[in-house]
């Protein structure tokens, strides 16, 4: 904490990393009392020096109204700065903002554009959201095989929503060959992460013995 403070107080661009770390420490109460306002202060100093992680973090603070007045347009502004530097979390967040019309005009094609940038860096949330858009043809041409491909990539990274959706698709034979055992496999992965829909679906499959040995107690 002491040396971060010494470096951060120099107010030079090369100390932006120290300023960012101080922001995180104040946010999480590491070595100092939790103080969101202080966190915003340090994130802002670092962000103004061009630190992409701080820019993204400041965007999150504005989006949540944490330590600063809630301001979706400010969140978009800081997400954009970080996203343009290649920060995948910021690219994903910007896609969400465009998709919801939150702090910026709703624009499905812009959402897709930013999701793609994050997908190129392997961001699981962006893979899932882009897959959903391919499934519905929202801002991009409808392409079920592309949707399944993206869901699978997200699911393999542990994204519970993607795991659940793949389970549903295998269970119903929707855009993939019907395969009850595959459905069970994906429901189980999501269920272990606490996904209520997957837990319910897995319970039903144990109850009927579909894709798994019938086991009422497991159900």
């Amino acid at each position: 904490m002491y040396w971060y403070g010494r470096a951060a107080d120099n107010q030079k661009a090369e100390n932006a990393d120290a300023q960012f770390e101080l922001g995180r420490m104040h946010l999480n109460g590491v070595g100092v009392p939790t103080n969101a306002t202080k966190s915003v202060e340090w994130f802002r100093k670092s962000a103004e020096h061009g630190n992409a992680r701080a820019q993204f973090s400041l965007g999150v603070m504005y989006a949540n109204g944490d330590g600063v007045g809630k301001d979706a347009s400010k969140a978009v502004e800081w997400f954009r700065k970080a996203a343009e530097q290649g920060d995948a979390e910021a690219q994903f967040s910007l896609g969400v903002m465009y998709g919801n019309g939150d702090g910026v005009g709703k624009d499905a094609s812009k959402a897709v554009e930013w999701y793609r940038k994050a997908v190129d860096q392997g961001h699981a949330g962006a893979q899932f959201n882009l897959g959903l858009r391919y499934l519905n043809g929202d801002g991009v041409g409808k392409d079920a095989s592309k949707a399944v491909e993206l869901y699978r990539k997200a699911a393999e990274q542990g994204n519970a929503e993607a795991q659940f959706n793949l389970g549903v698709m295998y269970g119903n034979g929707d855009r993939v060959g019907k395969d009850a055992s595959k459905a069970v496999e994906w429901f189980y992965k999501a269920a272990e992460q606490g996904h209520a829909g997957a837990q319910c679906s897995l319970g039903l499959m144990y109850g009927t013995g579909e894709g798994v040995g019938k086991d009422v107690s497991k159900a």
Side-chain angles (χ1 to χ4, degrees):
M1 177 68 185
Y2 172 77
W3 289 110
Y4 279 141
R6 286 287 299 273
D9 279 335
N10 282 333
Q11 300 295 307
K12 293 178 182 176
E14 60 264 28
N15 296 312
D17 286 343
Q19 292 165 342
F20 170 69
E21 291 300 334
L22 274 176
R24 283 208 309 181
M25 292 170 84
H26 280 292
L27 183 63
N28 299 320
V30 178
V32 290
T34 302
N35 188 326
T37 304
K38 274 283 185 190
S39 180
V40 167
E41 178 187 324
W42 285 113
F43 282 152
R44 191 184 307 282
K45 287 177 180 180
S46 180
E48 286 171 350
H49 284 140
N51 185 292
R53 292 178 301 165
Q55 291 166 344
F56 167 70
S57 298
L58 192 53
V60 171
M61 303 295 270
Y62 272 112
N64 296 334
D66 192 10
V68 68
K70 193 169 184 175
D71 188 330
S73 62
K74 276 283 186 189
V76 167
E77 177 188 329
W78 287 109
F79 286 152
R80 191 183 307 283
K81 288 180 188 291
E84 287 172 349
Q85 291 197 69
D87 186 280
E89 284 291 345
Q91 291 166 345
F92 168 68
S93 298
L94 202 49
V96 171
M97 302 295 268
Y98 271 111
N100 296 334
D102 192 11
V104 68
K106 192 169 184 175
D107 188 329
S109 61
K110 276 284 184 187
V112 166
E113 177 187 329
W114 286 110
Y115 285 148
R116 278 193 174 130
K117 290 180 188 291
V119 163
D120 286 344
Q121 298 191 66
H123 191 286
Q127 289 166 344
F128 172 71
N129 282 16
L130 188 57
L132 190 60
R133 287 183 175 273
Y134 271 112
L135 199 63
N136 298 327
D138 189 12
V140 67
K142 203 167 184 177
D143 187 334
S145 63
K146 192 70 174 165
V148 171
E149 176 192 329
L150 286 161
Y151 278 164
R152 193 180 307 281
K153 285 181 178 179
E156 286 170 352
Q157 288 198 72
N159 184 287
E161 283 295 335
Q163 291 167 343
F164 171 67
N165 281 24
L166 272 180
V168 171
M169 293 169 93
Y170 275 111
N172 296 334
D174 184 18
R175 280 97 170 181
V176 292
K178 188 168 184 176
D179 188 330
S181 62
K182 277 283 185 188
V184 167
E185 177 188 329
W186 287 113
F187 284 147
Y188 194 84
K189 289 179 188 293
E192 283 190 316
Q193 295 193 70
H195 191 290
Q199 291 166 344
C200 180
S201 298
L202 193 55
L204 288 170
M205 296 189 87
Y206 271 112
T208 60
E210 186 182 5
V212 68
K214 189 171 183 177
D215 187 330
V216 177
S217 63
K218 274 280 187 187

